Amino acid sequence: MPLHHLDYKTTGAFSSLLTDYLAQRPELQPYYHRFPALDAFEAQLAEKKQAYAPEARQRLVTALQEQYTGLADIHPNVAANLALLEKDTTFTVVTGHQLNLLTGPLYFVYKIVTAIKLCQQLKERFPQHDFVPVYWMATEDHDFAEINHFNLFGKRYEWSAAEVGGPVGRLPLGGLSEAILDQLPADVPALFHQAYRESETLTEATRKLTHALFGELGLVSIDGDSPTLKQAFVPVLEREIREQASNKAVQTTNAELETAGYKPQVYSRPLNLFFITEEGKRERLEPEGDCIAVRNTSRCYSQEELLTLAQQHPEQFSPNVVLRPLYQEILLPNLCYVGGGAEVAYWFQLKQVFADNNVPFPILLPRNSALYLGRANAGKLRKLGLTPVDLFKPLPDLKKQVGATLGQEEVSLAAQQQALAAVFKEIADLAQRLDPTLVKTVAAEAQKAAGGVAGLEKRLSKAAEAKHETAYSQLTALKDKLFPGGSLQEREDNVLSILINNPQFVAQLLEAFEPLALNFVVLEEE
């Protein structure tokens, strides 16, 4: 499969913070620990091994064993990785994402493949250690509107669940078959149906689907919404309730980033915790005078009451976006977090939070980004005389390029406009000498004449374009298909849009991706 590599900045689709990070701009150095390069992992390994206690490892293994009991047939490679996690020479590379239906946008798959490929490369570089790719399921998120839909072949599929407002991972799947599964094209692989039809909750379905897609590659999925795992979070809960230290740390960092010219990605609250109510809702905790209120309820706890509850029932507390990364890194023997540009940006806000809690800050690796060019579209591109890299240019520039290839005459009346302006300048000078009151009249006529020439230029340009209208229509359709809504393909299309016609897609991604190359790749199907 031909590959084309681009600098992220060249695509014009990524933030300045991300491109500056990849360029290793010195002003960003204070906000990350080690830059993602293969040699950097040696020091990261040593640091994490020193900090990660045997008790934490045993808690992790126990919880994962509990979570995987619900999976009937665990792939041998996943079982092997679960066993490896018991060893103090095993570490993880983790990526996280919401529980999007049927994987949601393409970059969900790209994240996971990046983590898997990096583990393979780390094993080659450090053969005395083992590396397990982990998908952190964002089961505790409660923003249902962000995950209840996906796009496939230009159609939006959406699910309206009966129960919302609590952790999405706990959602029962009633109505999903009728709203989504029964409406899918007939050639959708059976594994996508089975994952949801044979599950009780969204967490269960997502674990089954990722296992079916990536089990052969050893991916382990973890659910942080676990009483066993939440025990490890008690010291952080206590500190947050007493001191609300995370907000102070983030606010200081935010001010520094803004001074450096970067806008903070996420908002920190005075108390960066949610509370799971008896009704199963996930509500913010907010300081109110002498107590801490549970938003949208009548409950208000004293600090001591909340501390007692955190010690006895930590599973009733849920970290928000500020504390969730810390919770993740406490639980896992993790070296590296693989995320999108927005995630890298908000991790930059959190380095001091990690330092305050004496938890090693992971290496931050932007996930691989890609554009997939199917055989038919690749053929159309070649007929237009374009390369895959050209696709990232604005459409008007592409039309000019195609026009030049097809022999279209470029229409420009700029020289005529200049000549006309010179003529009217002479007339205006004459008017100034003979009758200054006519200067404004001359200016009005000059403006009218310039507008007429501009109108002629547009009409002549359209006439030139009309000679190659078919080619331009094909170009516009191709651009719209590969950049739906003007966005990157990976942010809009679902993996099924490719997987249905190309069952080897995941294997091709694994071959094509080079996580530490830190560039954008275009995959062109032959």
Side-chain angles (χ1 to χ4, degrees), residues 341-356:
E343 289 174 285
V344 170
Y346 77 67
W347 276 80
F348 277 17
Q349 297 172 246
L350 307 180
K351 192 173 178 218
Q352 189 58 48
V353 175
F354 277 74
D356 290 347

Side-chain angles (χ1 to χ4, degrees), residues 33-34 39-49 126 335:
H33 192 30
R34 296 185 176 95
D39 289 343
F41 282 88
E42 186 168 4
Q44 194 75 22
L45 273 163
E47 183 180 19
K48 190 65 179 186
K49 186 171 185 178
F126 305 101
L335 305 175

Side-chain angles (χ1 to χ4, degrees), residues 378-399:
K380 292 175 184 177
L381 195 66
R382 284 192 292 271
K383 285 183 180 179
L384 293 168
L386 299 173
T387 70
V389 176
D390 290 329
L391 284 167
F392 291 87
K393 298 175 183 177
L395 185 59
D397 293 348
L398 283 177
K399 283 188 174 181

Side-chain angles (χ1 to χ4, degrees), residues 423-433 439 442-443:
V423 170
F424 274 98
K425 173 68 167 58
E426 293 177 2
I427 297 173
D429 291 342
L430 181 60
Q432 182 67 43
R433 292 195 302 272
V439 171
V442 174

Side-chain angles (χ1 to χ4, degrees), residues 361-372:
F361 198 70
I363 292 173
L364 300 178
L365 176 64
R367 61 169 173 80
N368 279 102
S369 284
L371 172 68
Y372 179 81

Side-chain angles (χ1 to χ4, degrees), residues 32-264:
Y32 62 91
H33 192 30
R34 296 185 176 95
F35 190 75
L38 199 56
D39 289 343
F41 282 88
E42 186 168 4
Q44 194 75 22
L45 273 163
E47 183 180 19
K48 190 65 179 186
K49 186 171 185 178
Q50 177 71 25
Y52 194 65
E55 298 80 21
R57 189 176 291 277
Q58 188 54 54
R59 180 187 293 111
L60 172 68
V61 171
T62 299
L64 285 173
Q65 288 172 344
E66 292 172 355
Q67 292 181 14
Y68 270 86
T69 54
L71 206 61
D73 298 309
I74 302 178
H75 195 284
N77 293 343
V78 174
N81 277 345
L82 290 172
L84 282 174
L85 284 169
E86 297 186 37
K87 300 168 58 177
D88 65 2
T89 53
T90 299
F91 297 87
T92 64
V93 171
V94 65
T95 190
H97 200 68
Q98 296 167 299
L99 306 189
N100 292 81
L101 296 178
L102 280 72
T103 74
L106 269 166
Y107 63 71
F108 173 91
V109 173
Y110 294 173
K111 279 183 170 185
I112 291 174
V113 174
T114 303
I116 291 169
K117 183 67 172 283
L118 181 59
C119 284
Q120 294 176 351
Q121 294 177 334
L122 289 174
K123 181 61 178 176
E124 292 178 6
R125 175 66 174 80
F126 305 101
Q128 70 274 30
H129 294 97
D130 291 295
F131 304 90
V132 174
V134 172
Y135 162 45
W136 178 280
M137 299 191 290
T139 58
E140 294 184 67
D141 282 0
H142 64 269
D143 196 339
F144 180 68
E146 289 189 358
I147 68 160
N148 72 337
H149 61 276
F150 65 95
N151 301 313
L152 179 60
F153 300 134
K155 180 179 177 180
R156 178 184 171 100
Y157 293 82
E158 186 169 332
W159 174 42
S160 298
E163 301 177 26
V164 294
V168 295
R170 302 182 185 183
L171 279 174
L173 302 183
L176 181 63
S177 292
E178 295 80 1
I180 302 288
L181 303 180
D182 293 347
Q183 310 302 320
L184 292 172
D187 45 5
V188 167
L191 64 92
F192 283 82
H193 287 274
Q194 291 166 355
Y196 292 91
R197 294 188 191 278
E198 299 174 6
S199 299
E200 297 295 326
T201 66
L202 194 55
T203 293
E204 184 183 353
T206 305
R207 186 189 300 278
K208 286 180 179 177
L209 182 56
T210 52
H211 186 268
L213 289 170
F214 305 106
E216 185 179 0
L217 299 171
L219 180 73
V220 171
S221 297
I222 185 170
D223 175 10
D225 187 11
S226 155
T228 300
L229 295 176
K230 285 288 175 71
Q231 291 294 330
F233 203 47
V234 171
V236 175
L237 292 174
E238 292 176 336
R239 191 162 189 262
E240 185 70 6
I241 292 167
R242 284 198 184 99
E243 306 172 28
Q244 299 165 27
S246 66
N247 185 50
K248 299 171 187 175
V250 172
Q251 294 294 352
T252 299
T253 300
N254 285 356
E256 294 171 357
L257 284 168
E258 287 178 332
T259 300
Y262 302 103
K263 183 180 179 181

